[in-house]
């Protein structure tokens, strides 16, 4: 669920930039707050599902585990960079926030790829 919320935030921020209407980004701070809460819940559940680290864990599982552990902290930082709703409704976001959002989206997409590789196998993207 946090993945979908962060991608929605990125879509709304992009719409605000393209259409030059900052109002599109007014609710994204709230969406990020819900994503942070979801990530804080999802990270320990991922650890419970995968179990404790073992010597024979694959690199994919290890990378997925630690990216998932770092994700709540990254989202808290992103949330802190976001302007309050009132300010976001009247002017576009700062470049630092936009860069952090883009990097977070790329990490989330990579994290999702690793998760699919764990559950569906290495050739899951072969059509």
């Amino acid at each position: 669920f946090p993945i979908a919320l962060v991608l929605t935030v990125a879509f709304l921020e992009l719409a605000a930039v393209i259409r030059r209407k900052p109002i599109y980004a007014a609710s994204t701070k709230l969406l990020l707050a819900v994503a942070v809460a979801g990530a804080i819940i999802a990270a320990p559940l991922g650890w419970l599902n995968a179990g404790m680290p073992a010597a024979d864990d694959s690199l994919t599982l290890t990378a997925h585990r630690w990216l998932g552990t770092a994700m709540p902290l990254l989202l808290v930082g992103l949330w802190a960079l976001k302007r309050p709703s009132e300010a976001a409704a009247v002017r576009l976001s700062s470049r630092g926030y936009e860069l952090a959002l883009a990097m977070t989206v790329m990490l989330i997409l990579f994290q999702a790829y690793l998760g699919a590789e764990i559950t569906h196998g290495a050739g899951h993207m072969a059509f």
Side-chain angles (χ1 to χ4, degrees), residues 6-105:
V6 173
L7 295 178
T8 301
V9 166
F11 173 76
L12 290 171
E13 293 286 353
L14 184 62
V17 169
I18 290 173
R19 305 242 1 211
R20 298 199 184 276
K21 293 187 179 185
I23 193 69
Y24 287 124
S27 64
T28 56
K29 187 141 186 165
L30 176 63
L31 291 174
L32 281 173
V34 175
V36 167
I40 289 171
I41 293 168
L45 290 176
W47 276 86
L48 287 174
N49 185 45
M52 294 306 288
D56 62 344
D57 283 348
S58 69
L59 178 60
T60 303
L61 178 60
T62 303
H64 184 72
R65 174 181 282 140
W66 289 108
L67 274 174
T69 302
M71 201 55 63
L73 298 173
L74 292 171
L75 293 181
V76 166
L78 190 61
W79 180 84
L81 287 173
K82 176 69 180 145
R83 286 189 178 122
S85 298
E86 300 80 23
V90 293
R91 61 178 187 252
L92 295 173
S93 298
S94 68
R95 294 291 178 218
Y97 167 74
E98 290 172 354
L99 180 62
L101 179 60
M103 289 176 24
T104 303
V105 165

